[in-house]
Amino acid sequence: MPGVPVRGPWSRSGLAREWAVAMATSGYVPLGHETIERELEELVDVLFDVLLAEPFAPAPAEEVGTGLADLGFTTPTGLSRTVELLVRRLPAHPELLDVHRLPDKVASVVGALTDSYAFAVRNFVFDQQEELKRALLRAKERAERQLWLSEARFREVFSGSPVGIAITDVDGALVETNWAIREMLGYSGAELAGRDLVDLVHPDHAAAVREAYRSLNEGVSGRLRERGQLLHKDGDPVWAYLAASVLRDANGAPRYHVTMVEDITELRLLQHQLTRQNLHDPLTGLPNRQFLVSRLTDLFARPEPVDLTLFLLEVDGLAVVNEGLGHDAGDALLRMVAHRLHGLVGEDPRAMLVRTGGDEFAVAIEGEPPELARWAADINAELAEPIYVGEQGIAASVSIGIVRQVAGELVFASAAELLRAAEVALRRVTVRGKRQWGLFDPNLDSRERARAGLAAAMPGAWENGELEIRFEPAVAADGRQPLGALATLAWNHPKRGLVRHGECIALAEQTGLSVPIAQWVLRTALERARQADSDVPVAVPLTADQAHDPDLVGTVGDLLAGLDFGASRLWIGMPVSALRDEQGEARDNLQVLAATGVNTYLHGFGLGYEDLACMEDLPARAVEIAPDLVQRLARNPGTVVERAVRDLVPLVREHGAGVLVDGIETEQQAEWWTRLGVDALRGPLFADTSW
Amino acid sequence: MAKQLSWVPEDVEMGRPSAARVYDYLLGGGHNFAADRELAERFARALPGSRDIARLNRAFLRRGVLFLIENGIRQFLDIGSGIPTVGNVHEIAQAVDPTIRVVYVDNEPVAVAHSQLLLEHNDRAAAVEADLVHPDGVLDHPAVHGLLDLDQPLGLLMVGVFHFVPPERAPLELLARYRERLAPGSYLALSHFTADTRPAEMAAMVEVMSNSRDPIHPRTRAEIAELFTGFELVNPGVVPTADWHPVAPADDVAGPEREQIYAGVGRKTATG
Ligand SMILES: C[S@@+](CC[C@H](N)C(=O)[O-])C[C@H]1O[C@@H](n2cnc3c(N)ncnc32)[C@H](O)[C@@H]1O
């Protein structure tokens, strides 16, 4: 009778014991042997219940196949041993002797078990493959991030270093040079690219330096340290320390050399008490930078600080003249500038005029300074009179950076600092255009340094997890229910407090981190969105750099596939400014993304016809009105701009694109835009919306 | 950015087959790629019985961990932890006592990322990427400091990993440094490939692995026992995995494959 327990090897527990031994060696299962036996005994009971039930239905035996897989038995051996055992034992089992057509029933039961086992194991493997893919993605992402971080750090050092840095390929051809080395040798980056580094070495030293690089390549020595003479573009010798090391590729083959070049000319000059001749610039006959430095150093050596004004003048557009009319024309122009400057200040005993570099002159005036604006205007008036090179009349203008040391107010510690300040002032004005002048502003300088400091700290902050992603809601204009979540960046700076999205992305662009950060933002946003219960759409606004990233489509595609995230749930925003540019990859990126089912929208959208043209040409599904437009309308209602906006919204909507408005701060603004018929709103007003 | 020179050499080659995934495959896991499976099949052809060898090793790991817990160990440093397949140390240990802490160390980035994904919500276990051959780098890793207290006895697991250390990395000195930094009462559980039996098959397997990212260096029983210098070996000493405190029928097999990996557990004495 069913239910009456039979003892011995022919009991149910005997069968379970036998089964456990067969299974335990079929693969590794991290369970104690008693546990395995107990679990299998339950499965044996299921089998007996099925076989004894009237009417017969094999389906419940599927539970046994699934149960085995759940216990961790997933190997083919596990299945074959199970089938073998059951087919041998069940048809002859004393408890089952009365079962009608037993062999047929055992066959059906084993069939159901096999099916479900195979199915469960298949899913088990799929899950593990999925997990492994995620791990691979994560490891790759981390490796890429480390690569980027070290690269970004290198960039920082490279461009900011006062030491000259040259990267050359193994044949010695210059691949990249930094600002300091160009300055030191008087060449532009373009002039240096591709040249043989050893060509820049004084012929007396060239052979030795070349030899040193060769032994570096061959691994004879790991580092190169040489003192030698380089040649300035104008032929002047530049004494320098060269320190070079090799960058090798994954296989250990030399790939690049990084050479640090430190100018020790000043040291050298002192050592050798060089004659006046070497302190002069052969082209213009003016004293050169070294002369200026040594004179300033003398001035700084005096016990009392002196009042001093230093003007650094850069000839605007010399490169254009050199390129368009030839170097002879450029040289003539420089001589003309030198001559006229000399005419202006040459007679003044308190003034010193020097040529400090390729297109740069300096005037230092001791004591009471001239009136700056007048002085700058006079100079440019003087230079405006063209000179003739052949048929061609050329006029010059200069931009001027000025720094004043006024005893008791702003005193610099050294000649080098004074020069650096003048350099800073000059670089700041040249950004504004030609013929500009500006005074060194120590506050601006410290602000910029603070900002530069912040930018420099960003890679580290990212690594330390100080950067985070915040979701900002976009709500329906009508009804205000949340429509989607926008991923924005925030930096919890331990000292500065919260650095917001706008500044974060500006800093990221500055450090070259913007593309890897965008990838991280995308990934994290999608991962978090996937974990959320709801399936609200997620929007990720990109910067111009990010929109132009040639890998963007691949990155997005990999993420969507890797995370199994529906393309239609993602919105990628691109700045219209990037899309106006027909050159970059942004337009292609947007088109391909749209074709793969990702939603795209244009942000920073405004009133320009080009913005409308972008909308018309590209398959973006929505546009986002820029916050500055919102603010402007709030400040100046009833203007022409307002009328244009009233026309713009219906135009966009008629075209079939949605309109989102960014930067809504007040209820009033929200209502105004809602009346215009826009679709969605976001901004500080909705900060507390939850979903 | 686009045209800037990439100066950092690219050695990020995640696709190469790894010992971690070969082992997972031999254990019947699905955490492996085609290239790993291919290598694993060659491995198994060279060394018949590989699936059992892997299984016996994994079973030793489990018994070793349970033994250390019985002897009062409440924190584990599992070096060369591999892919979190089945029966991971934290699962075994935390099932006995949920307060037990575990740090996994591996030098294979995908295995580490995998472990980290698995441990995302476990604040008593962590996984770090580090190399066994830098003992101080491992022991001073912030995650190790965060979870483990080196002033208290600890279970140092080097199961199925030390044969990846080539002779030129000074194995004895490496272990001496680990031992020095552990508190008295700490345990070392170690298992290791040997060519003492079936040398021809072993040589063939070594050959198969020689061009992978994880070449294997089998050692003799005497060499393996020497690794326990400064530790007091618990009974029965350094023995085939199957003979180390077997409890279930599955802990042993009949064939020669039972002798391919030696295992042992030692305790650091106060003077060690
Ligand atoms: C076969 S698995 C062992 C897994 C687990 N300990 C076990 O015995 O079940 C070996 C692991 O050691 C890792 N490994 C190899 N050399 C290593 C090293 N020098 N440092 C850290 N891990 C290493 C491999 O990546 C692999 O994951």
Side-chain angles (χ1 to χ4, degrees):
Chain A
M1 267 314 286
V4 180
V6 189
R7 305 231 134 252
W10 285 104
S11 65
R12 289 189 187 188
S13 57
L15 181 58
R17 218 169 307 130
E18 196 181 355
W19 199 5
V21 172
M23 293 310 274
T25 54
S26 74
Y28 176 69
V29 174
L31 297 174
H33 197 72
E34 309 76 56
T35 318
I36 297 179
E37 262 184 37
R38 205 170 47 242
E39 297 285 342
L40 291 181
E41 213 173 313
E42 278 177 30
L43 299 183
V44 169
D45 285 339
V46 174
L47 291 175
F48 276 77
D49 288 349
V50 174
L51 290 170
L52 292 167
E54 283 299 344
F56 174 69
E62 287 170 6
E63 206 184 296
V64 179
T66 316
L68 283 174
D70 284 349
L71 277 174
F73 296 109
T74 54
T75 61
T77 318
L79 182 60
S80 60
R81 290 191 183 164
T82 296
V83 171
E84 202 189 323
L85 182 81
L86 297 182
V87 170
R88 192 151 39 87
R89 291 284 186 233
L90 292 178
H93 199 279
E95 211 184 316
L96 301 172
L97 287 180
D98 295 342
V99 174
H100 183 53
R101 297 169 57 107
L102 184 60
D104 287 353
K105 288 185 181 172
V106 169
S108 307
V109 162
V110 169
L113 180 156
T114 314
D115 261 7
S116 58
Y117 183 84
F119 189 75
V121 169
R122 214 170 66 122
N123 283 338
F124 174 73
V125 171
F126 285 156
D127 285 352
Q128 293 195 334
Q129 288 275 313
E130 184 66 21
E131 245 176 64
L132 179 63
K133 241 172 45 194
R134 278 182 63 202
L136 183 72
L137 220 62
R138 188 180 160 125
K140 268 205 172 122
E141 200 214 5
R142 179 170 320 146
E144 271 160 23
R145 179 153 54 148
Q146 274 162 0
L147 203 69
W148 268 97
L149 283 174
S150 46
E151 233 173 16
R153 272 195 209 120
F154 176 71
R155 285 282 139 212
E156 240 172 77
V157 173
F158 187 74
S159 44
S161 166
V163 173
I165 305 178
I167 301 182
T168 47
D169 64 22
V170 285
D171 301 323
L174 286 159
V175 184
E176 278 201 68
T177 48
N178 75 342
W179 174 82
I181 194 170
R182 293 176 205 156
E183 190 75 359
M184 197 181 298
L185 299 180
Y187 292 97
S188 70
E191 283 172 323
L192 286 176
R195 282 191 61 168
D196 188 341
L197 178 65
V198 180
D199 279 355
L200 303 171
V201 177
H202 193 282
D204 292 351
H205 299 245
V209 170
R210 199 180 287 285
E211 184 53 35
Y213 275 105
R214 236 205 26 211
S215 50
L216 202 59
N217 265 349
E218 287 165 2
V220 179
S221 64
R223 260 183 175 281
L224 171 152
R225 291 204 146 272
E226 282 283 320
R227 190 149 73 148
Q229 235 180 45
L230 303 181
L231 285 178
H232 191 275
K233 188 179 179 186
D234 60 21
D236 280 350
V238 178
W239 278 94
Y241 274 125
L242 304 183
S245 45
V246 194
L247 296 179
R248 294 176 187 278
D249 65 17
N251 303 320
R255 191 152 150 203
Y256 298 110
H257 292 146
V258 179
T259 306
M260 307 276 200
V261 183
E262 192 178 5
D263 184 346
I264 50 166
T265 306
E266 286 165 33
L267 245 158
R268 227 25 227 193
L269 284 179
L270 284 174
Q271 280 168 3
H272 291 262
Q273 299 287 315
L274 283 190
T275 58
R276 185 188 145 75
Q277 207 186 343
N278 285 355
L279 298 170
H280 278 69
D281 163 33
L283 178 68
T284 60
L286 292 178
N288 64 15
R289 187 181 184 95
Q290 281 74 41
F291 179 81
L292 174 70
V293 171
S294 68
R295 286 292 294 276
L296 288 177
T297 308
D298 288 349
L299 281 181
F300 274 86
R302 290 193 204 154
E304 288 297 305
V306 277
D307 288 359
L308 190 67
T309 309
L310 179 65
F311 299 87
L312 215 51
L313 304 89
E314 184 179 296
V315 180
D316 297 326
L318 179 67
V320 179
V321 174
N322 275 337
E323 261 162 42
L325 303 173
H327 283 266
D328 288 346
D331 288 351
L333 187 71
L334 286 170
R335 275 197 294 269
M336 179 271 266
V337 172
H339 183 70
R340 296 201 184 155
L341 289 175
H342 187 74
L344 269 176
V345 301
E347 301 307 316
D348 187 340
R350 298 178 309 146
M352 172 172 45
L353 168 65
V354 302
R355 180 175 174 217
T356 44
D359 56 356
E360 222 180 71
F361 295 85
V363 176
I365 299 181
E366 244 188 277
E368 182 71 13
E371 206 241 293
L372 300 179
R374 279 284 310 258
W375 199 85
D378 285 353
I379 287 184
N380 273 317
E382 188 71 21
L383 296 177
E385 179 74 25
I387 56 159
Y388 285 86
V389 178
E391 294 287 282
Q392 194 74 39
I394 38 179
S397 67
V398 289
S399 297
I400 312 175
I402 308 170
V403 55
R404 275 164 75 167
Q405 161 156 304
V406 184
E409 279 178 32
L410 185 59
V411 175
F412 291 89
S414 67
E417 255 193 40
L418 187 77
L419 268 167
R420 192 195 75 86
E423 197 71 55
V424 167
L426 176 60
R427 268 194 263 148
R428 190 167 293 135
V429 299
T430 49
V431 174
R432 300 204 301 253
K434 294 180 177 182
R435 218 185 281 259
Q436 304 285 326
W437 65 275
L439 191 60
F440 172 71
D441 177 346
N443 297 322
L444 210 54
D445 191 42
S446 65
R447 267 208 303 284
E448 266 182 22
R449 281 187 198 206
R451 194 179 154 83
L454 207 55
M458 191 167 215
W462 185 27
E463 211 174 32
N464 292 338
E466 285 170 28
L467 295 192
E468 66 172 41
I469 286 162
R470 300 196 172 178
F471 280 117
E472 190 189 315
V475 304
D478 269 333
R480 304 287 169 82
Q481 72 278 16
L483 287 180
L486 245 107
T488 65
L489 207 54
W491 178 2
N492 294 306
H493 193 282
K495 297 219 187 67
R496 280 250 340 239
L498 182 67
V499 180
R500 286 178 195 287
H501 182 71
E503 199 178 344
C504 281
I505 59 177
L507 289 168
E509 300 243 302
Q510 219 178 342
T511 41
L513 281 180
S514 114
V515 169
I517 283 196
Q519 294 175 353
W520 171 72
V521 169
L522 270 164
R523 145 179 312 285
T524 317
L526 296 195
E527 274 178 355
R528 278 181 39 195
R530 207 177 65 148
Q531 281 161 11
D533 309 327
S534 67
D535 45 352
V536 285
V538 174
V540 180
L542 302 181
T543 64
D545 266 9
Q546 298 165 349
H548 285 306
D549 176 9
D551 294 333
L552 178 66
V553 171
T555 307
V556 171
D558 286 352
L559 279 175
L560 292 176
L563 295 171
D564 195 17
F565 195 97
S568 61
R569 211 184 139 190
L570 176 63
W571 288 74
I572 295 277
M574 291 198 185
V576 209
S577 56
L579 295 162
R580 282 187 212 125
D581 176 3
E582 307 243 353
Q583 297 301 325
E585 308 263 344
R587 291 175 80 99
D588 277 356
N589 278 343
L590 187 145
Q591 274 159 334
V592 179
L593 283 175
T596 56
V598 174
N599 303 294
T600 55
Y601 70 101
L602 314 179
H603 63 76
F605 200 81
L607 292 165
Y609 84 89
E610 285 174 307
D611 295 13
L612 282 171
C614 280
M615 177 189 79
E616 196 162 40
D617 294 347
L618 296 169
R621 297 201 44 203
V623 305
E624 182 183 79
I625 307 265
D628 42 351
L629 192 52
V630 175
Q631 274 153 30
R632 186 191 160 94
L633 293 190
R635 276 199 312 272
N636 316 307
T639 57
V640 181
V641 175
E642 182 180 312
R643 282 182 39 203
V645 171
R646 283 180 187 280
D647 291 342
L648 175 73
V649 172
L651 265 176
V652 175
R653 303 212 56 225
E654 241 165 72
H655 178 71
V659 181
L660 166 66
V661 186
D662 183 14
I664 299 288
E665 290 172 345
T666 66
E667 187 54 43
Q668 226 172 356
Q669 289 169 357
E671 276 165 19
W672 191 88
W673 286 95
T674 303
R675 273 200 305 279
L676 268 196
V678 304
D679 302 271
L681 306 171
R682 68 180 183 105
L685 183 62
F686 310 107
D688 297 329
T689 307
S690 54
W691 50 69
Chain B
M1 284 316 298
K3 284 197 60 185
Q4 267 174 3
L5 163 80
S6 173
W7 71 285
V8 182
E10 290 167 34
D11 59 354
V12 196
E13 222 196 315
M14 307 287 183
R16 270 179 91 185
S18 80
R21 294 190 294 265
V22 165
Y23 183 65
D24 173 74
Y25 177 70
L26 291 176
L27 283 175
H31 302 110
N32 39 66
F33 298 119
D36 304 309
R37 295 191 282 274
E38 203 219 358
L39 183 62
E41 287 298 348
R42 289 203 289 135
F43 185 108
R45 267 199 305 277
L47 182 61
S50 291
R51 287 188 174 75
D52 281 323
I53 296 173
R55 185 172 58 74
L56 293 180
N57 182 64
R58 192 76 178 165
F60 161 72
L61 172 70
R62 175 167 191 272
R63 299 197 304 278
V65 167
L66 291 173
F67 176 87
L68 299 195
I69 294 175
E70 266 170 44
N71 283 277
I73 293 296
R74 286 295 175 273
Q75 46 176 2
F76 288 91
L77 182 58
D78 182 3
I79 302 185
S81 47
I83 297 263
T85 43
V86 283
N88 298 298
V89 171
H90 77 283
E91 290 158 357
I92 298 168
Q94 290 175 352
V96 179
D97 176 351
T99 68
I100 289 180
R101 290 159 195 274
V102 179
V103 175
Y104 292 108
V105 177
D106 207 289
N107 69 349
E108 205 277 304
V110 183
V112 175
H114 200 154
S115 309
Q116 287 171 342
L117 286 170
L118 182 79
L119 298 174
E120 236 158 22
H121 303 293
N122 190 326
D123 53 11
R124 294 207 171 85
V128 306
E129 188 181 328
D131 199 304
L132 182 155
V133 300
H134 302 299
D136 292 313
V138 171
L139 295 170
D140 294 329
H141 193 285
V144 172
H145 270 264
L147 279 177
L148 309 181
D149 179 357
L150 295 187
D151 295 331
Q152 296 297 320
L154 165 156
L156 176 61
L157 309 176
M158 293 193 182
V159 179
V161 62
F162 214 83
H163 40 241
F164 295 113
V165 178
E168 62 270 20
R169 296 315 293 240
L172 288 176
E173 276 95 280
L174 273 180
L175 263 178
R177 183 60 188 154
Y178 279 105
R179 187 186 63 243
E180 236 170 72
R181 301 236 3 218
L182 297 184
S186 293
Y187 283 88
L188 167 68
L190 182 145
S191 71
H192 200 297
F193 266 116
T194 184
D196 286 358
T197 55
R198 295 208 293 171
E201 286 88 339
M202 256 308 172
M205 182 274 270
V206 167
E207 175 60 31
V208 166
M209 292 299 283
S210 64
N211 285 321
S212 76
R213 73 178 281 293
D214 305 292
I216 287 183
H217 310 272
R219 293 193 167 83
T220 64
R221 178 158 170 188
E223 285 171 327
I224 296 168
E226 206 182 354
L227 295 175
F228 285 92
T229 306
F231 291 93
E232 203 172 89
L233 277 168
V234 304
N235 277 331
V238 173
V239 293
T241 42
D243 292 332
W244 199 93
H245 297 215
V247 293
D251 293 340
D252 201 353
V253 288
E257 53 270 20
R258 65 186 300 287
E259 310 260 308
Q260 236 66 79
I261 294 188
Y262 283 129
V265 172
R267 178 169 185 277
K268 176 178 172 169
T269 53
T271 52

